[in-house]
Amino acid sequence: MHMLARGLPIVLLSFVALPAVAATMPTPSITILAPAAGSSVATSEIPVSVATKNFSVECAHVGQPGVPGRGHIHAMVDGTSMAVMTNVYCSKRFTISGEGLQPGKHTLAVILATDAHDNASMPAEVTFTYQPQSALPLPASAETGKPSLTILSPGNGARVGKTFDLKVAVSNFQLSCNLEGRPNVSGYGHLHVFVTQPGITDKPSWAPKMPMEPMGGSSSSMKGESPMAGEMKMMSMIGMIGMPCATTIPVDLSQWHTGKAKIVVMFANNDHEPTMGVAAAAVTVNVR
Ligand SMILES: [Cu+2]
């Protein structure tokens, strides 16, 4: 009896809270305009166009804790898990490379994501036929030795402006954005770049309370035992500002504070799991 009496107010609260939130915060949604359902894509790059409602698509705040109604787009080919995510997108039009994609039927799924990479809408999905003039197969394994990653600039403790180039040196590792979300190929992958800053990345993140498919479902493998792999599965990627594939990475911290910021770069496989055996590189900079 006492248990029931204690439990009741909690139940009532959650019933009261949901409609109130819905009234002040219109639910964001995303739909796919291109490729049209059932259409054929004849180009090697797949042009994607989406429409959104109640959501501002931008990346100025990417990596920061999520707030309602703002963020970016996650796209996935042939699934909805992190492993098949092609990248994060900051505009409603973008292209997905067909490299490593077999000609034939495929599904494209898109979902709105908060700045912290949490799902912010229901996913949208279309099936299309990929029929390029000439298909680009997955590259052969490029393992040449132990991969290594270092940050060339800025130096640790350096004073930087709000926008600067992050330069890295990469050896025995081929960076490819085209292969993001494709099956892993040894020796290939991309970079994950994180920024952490007191007063920003330690703030609690908003995440929508709506029923939706979890992104890091059972298909995501358990092989990555690092703490980062665990974080990715829960879609808690606060601090991640991008998944680039170049050794010179423009960083824009215009929406971040002045003062110390820690920049962490790590190798990721095509499925976004951390590349085993390669230490992350980090510098702390002083943002002016
Ligand atoms: Cu990634």
Side-chain angles (χ1 to χ4, degrees):
M1 195 59 189
H2 278 237
M3 289 286 283
L4 189 64
R6 279 218 305 270
L8 207 55
I10 296 169
V11 173
L12 287 176
L13 258 180
S14 61
F15 270 105
V16 172
L18 274 175
V21 168
T24 52
M25 254 161 14
T27 309
S29 65
I30 183 166
T31 51
I32 300 173
L33 304 177
S39 67
S40 284
V41 175
T43 48
S44 56
E45 300 267 305
I46 301 154
V48 178
S49 170
V50 301
T52 62
K53 274 187 189 159
N54 304 321
F55 199 76
S56 160
V57 178
E58 53 109 286
C59 283
H61 301 82
V62 67
Q64 296 189 3
V67 298
R70 184 183 76 200
H72 55 270
I73 296 163
H74 287 174
M76 291 128 305
V77 172
D78 297 335
T80 53
S81 73
M82 170 72 78
V84 292
M85 186 166 138
T86 55
N87 212 324
V88 302
Y89 302 95
C90 312
S91 74
K92 296 181 208 177
R93 281 168 177 274
F94 52 90
T95 59
I96 292 176
S97 169
E99 190 173 349
L101 210 59
Q102 293 280 339
K105 280 199 170 163
H106 293 280
T107 57
L108 166 72
V110 293
I111 194 164
L112 296 175
T114 68
D115 294 319
H117 308 281
D118 290 308
N119 295 338
S121 72
M122 297 293 286
E125 203 169 291
V126 290
T127 301
F128 64 96
T129 303
Y130 180 59
Q131 279 175 327
Q133 310 282 9
S134 54
L136 277 169
L138 277 182
S141 147
E143 224 164 347
T144 46
K146 192 176 163 16
S148 73
L149 170 66
T150 51
I151 295 175
L152 299 177
S153 90
N156 197 37
R159 188 187 273 218
V160 296
K162 290 228 165 177
T163 60
F164 58 93
D165 281 343
L166 173 66
K167 293 182 180 175
V168 298
V170 168
S171 59
N172 296 320
F173 199 71
Q174 305 295 314
L175 298 177
S176 168
C177 284
N178 285 357
L179 296 177
E180 292 191 37
R182 295 289 129 78
N184 285 339
V185 179
S186 65
Y188 279 89
H190 57 275
L191 302 166
H192 283 180
V193 182
F194 294 82
V195 173
T196 55
Q197 192 171 47
I200 294 193
T201 49
D202 51 8
K203 275 192 206 150
S205 183
W206 172 87
K209 298 197 174 37
M210 54 173 79
M212 58 178 67
E213 286 171 41
M215 298 245 323
S218 52
S219 61
S220 126
S221 77
M222 297 296 290
K223 66 184 184 307
E225 295 302 324
S226 75
M228 193 56 72
E231 278 181 25
M232 303 275 286
K233 282 194 195 76
M234 298 186 302
M235 284 305 288
S236 174
M237 299 197 294
I238 287 187
M240 180 184 272
I241 60 163
M243 301 186 175
C245 48
T247 52
T248 297
I249 304 144
V251 174
D252 186 344
L253 301 183
S254 303
Q255 301 300 321
W256 296 67
H257 295 326
T258 54
K260 279 186 178 171
K262 189 177 182 185
I263 319 275
V264 177
V265 186
M266 51 198 293
F267 282 154
N269 301 330
N270 296 342
D271 67 358
H272 306 285
E273 296 283 350
T275 304
M276 300 308 278
V278 189
V283 288
T284 298
V285 293
N286 205 338
V287 183
R288 291 349 279 303

